[in-house]
Amino acid sequence: MAPARIIDTPVVTNTYDYIVCGGGTAGCVIAGRLAETTTTRILLIEAGPDSKDLATMHMPGDWMGNFDNNKTDWNIVTEPMAGANGRRVKCSRGRFLGGSSGVNGTLCIRGTRQDYDDWGLEGWGGEDVFGYMKKAETFHPSARLKGAAGVHGTEGPLHVASHELAPISERVMESMVEKGLPLCEDMFSTGETAHGCGHVPRTIHRGVRTTAADFVTKGFKRENITIMTDVTVDKIVVESQGDGLRATAVDLVAENGTRSRVGASKEVIVSAGAYCSPAILLRSGIGAKDELEKLGIECVADLPGVGRNLMDHILTFQFYQVTEPGLTYDSQVFHDPQGLAKLRKQYGDTKSGFLSVFPFGAFCFARLDDRLEDCEAWKNAPRKPGRDPMGLAPNQPNIEMWNTELYGGPKQFDSYPIDGSHTFAMCTLLFNSNSRGSVRLASSDPLKNPLVDHNYLDHELDLQVLAEACRYSNEIVMEGVGTKNIVKGSWPPGLKHHTHKTREDWIPHVKNSATTCYHASGTCKMGKSDDPMAVLDEKLRVRGIDGLRVADASVMPIVNNGHTQMATYAIAEKAADLIKADAR
Ligand SMILES: Cc1cc2nc3c(=O)[nH]c(=O)nc-3n(C[C@H](O)[C@H](O)[C@H](O)COP(=O)(O)OP(=O)(O)OC[C@H]3O[C@@H](n4cnc5c(N)ncnc54)[C@H](O)[C@@H]3O)c2cc1C
């Protein structure tokens, strides 16, 4: 984040009906949907720049180009985590109009319907949430992914289509099927399969990434939305009204450090994501009283759940070298020194080629009940009726696995195969971790990132289940019919994970390398009135304060067993309906 000195005192410069704080995935959807009522005036405030001309956002294959840049990445880094051998992990977030929908892996993996039923909150069951996912999208069927009946949308601003697999992915999928994971039609959109492999729809259409910004730009640009970019929300102004409290205005800081205040006559909606939404609430005096007092912030609502319950999905990468050329994209990207320049030209000319895709290939969900039968931590853990020790029902997956279509991943993976080798990774992801983290304020300065502690692998079961997942994905590669004859060994060549046999063999790999899948969530969770850690009620209203809601990935009480963007789109679509209903 660009440092700026705060130099002015606030004055109300303008008043809107609704102020949406954060122009990311949820914020853009909410602003766009509220603006369908043409008499309503909406202000959408985004800390980062406009993304209209941000090539790294529009070109799906250049997603890494957004990272580490103070202008387009929040550069969140976790506190050291004991369960992960004291490591810190970089947790990038999009910082521009469109937010993390503009840097993400484009995967539309909705989770299972059961995930949302498990929230146990009125109006948020699987049927409701899947209906809103459908509303957000326009699905483009293809021969590979025709789309299950009744599941996909045809009118949403988000254009969604399938991916043409690289040859390595066809091989991995063949191996997945042989190793007990049947191919299921459209399984990542129906939400009914916990064990099988399939094709994943992506937020890419005709080579261009589609994002939440599309809800307020292009064909959906509307006169009644004012979009402010390069402006940071400091805090919500909460005033006494009658017997209660009401959010009446928002304090802002511009890039040059100038402060201002804008008024909200109806509602303020905080949509700054799972790291920044709790930070805005805390700066506004909404959070655990004792923690706020230590920072010199007056507490207006003592809500101890703000910033707690931080969840994510952790994943590991294990790389393999393959003997046959032409299966992966490595030759196009790493072997030819002019490769990337040629690919950029191809993309510029025709929106095609490697940079027009997100190079993740075959995907599967898996249940691990049988494989964990001999695991002491699994056997001895308490379980609720009908649930496994991770709290999952038989219709929910324990893990997800997929392959990359060349060497790559987060920037710590830098053993690029420039020597002419061909490589890919298996990625293994853990669902429903027991470990929980937190977001706290480092100070009341709105230009400082909050302290994020993901607390990964704090729980023995998380470690054991993810180690078993790695073992399974290694068996798929080393024993599966599609891949067993083309794998030369581990990559880089000194490593020996391709020879690992037991769960124990994989434990060090998990502790040393498990990283974020960027699914931060849960830090302003919804809940019932008897849950003291719930920040919001079922209508996303901040408890004890009128005219203030939170709507983004932070509201999930339990993170879905999928990826989080479609869940976030659904939350935002539903938030807009709730707000509109209350305005009547
Ligand atoms: C690298 C990466 C890869 C991912 N891959 C996938 C994937 O393939 N599939 C999938 O389903 N999910 C994926 N995700 C997760 C998914 O994108 C997020 O869960 C989702 O986009 C979160 O939406 P949000 O609205 O909660 O937050 P965001 O989209 O992050 O929006 C928050 C917005 O608020 C702005 N903001 C924050 N603080 C302030 C402030 N104080 N003032 C003003 N503005 C502020 C931010 O700049 C941002 O624009 C990925 C995420 C990342 C980062």
Side-chain angles (χ1 to χ4, degrees), residues 160-321:
V160 170
S162 73
H163 166 82
E164 280 311 309
L165 299 185
I168 186 64
S169 306
E170 305 275 9
R171 302 290 193 104
V172 170
M173 197 168 258
E174 230 183 303
S175 292
M176 285 175 171
V177 172
E178 201 214 359
K179 297 302 284 181
L181 295 155
L183 180 61
C184 303
E185 169 66 17
D186 208 7
M187 63 175 273
F188 299 108
S189 301
T190 57
E192 283 158 2
T193 307
H195 192 87
C197 69
H199 299 287
V200 172
R202 328 275 170 123
T203 44
I204 301 174
H205 184 227
R206 298 191 176 139
V208 178
R209 180 195 286 270
T210 64
T211 76
D214 297 347
F215 282 72
V216 292
T217 59
K218 302 179 186 168
F220 293 88
K221 190 169 164 51
R222 290 176 206 272
E223 291 301 310
N224 53 337
I225 306 180
T226 302
I227 301 176
M228 279 185 188
T229 52
D230 300 302
V231 173
T232 299
V233 172
D234 174 3
K235 56 179 178 283
I236 315 302
V237 178
V238 178
E239 293 179 14
S240 298
Q241 275 195 7
D243 289 343
L245 296 169
R246 184 168 192 90
T248 55
V250 177
D251 280 353
L252 309 175
V253 188
E255 281 255 290
N256 65 3
T258 310
R259 295 202 68 141
S260 60
R261 177 170 290 184
V262 278
S265 58
K266 290 190 172 143
E267 290 201 30
V268 175
I269 301 105
V270 178
S271 297
Y275 300 128
C276 297
S277 284
I280 291 175
L281 293 189
L282 291 166
R283 286 197 295 270
S284 313
I286 303 164
K289 189 163 188 269
D290 51 343
E291 281 179 32
L292 293 172
E293 279 171 355
K294 279 186 210 149
L295 291 161
I297 299 172
E298 187 192 344
C299 180
V300 298
D302 186 7
L303 292 177
V306 177
R308 299 302 160 94
N309 191 43
L310 174 62
M311 294 170 288
D312 193 0
H313 296 128
I314 48 171
L315 85 154
T316 61
F317 286 69
Q318 41 267 6
F319 293 94
Y320 299 91
Q321 185 177 0

Side-chain angles (χ1 to χ4, degrees), residues 22-26 45-47 63 67 74 92-96 98-101 103-107 231-233 271-273 276 280 283 518-519 552-553 563-566 568:
T25 314
I45 306 161
E46 168 54 40
W63 64 305
F67 296 158
W74 283 87
S92 291
R93 304 311 285 174
R95 187 175 179 274
F96 47 79
S100 298
S101 71
V103 297
N104 70 20
T106 74
L107 307 166
V231 173
T232 299
V233 172
S271 297
C276 297
I280 291 175
R283 286 197 295 270
Y518 307 101
H519 292 173
D552 54 26
H563 292 230
T564 43
Q565 72 162 340
M566 291 315 290
T568 306

Side-chain angles (χ1 to χ4, degrees), residues 520-536:
S521 43
T523 47
C524 300
K525 74 168 185 169
M526 283 186 280
K528 295 199 172 139
S529 55
D530 60 356
D531 179 352
M533 297 307 279
V535 176
L536 314 173

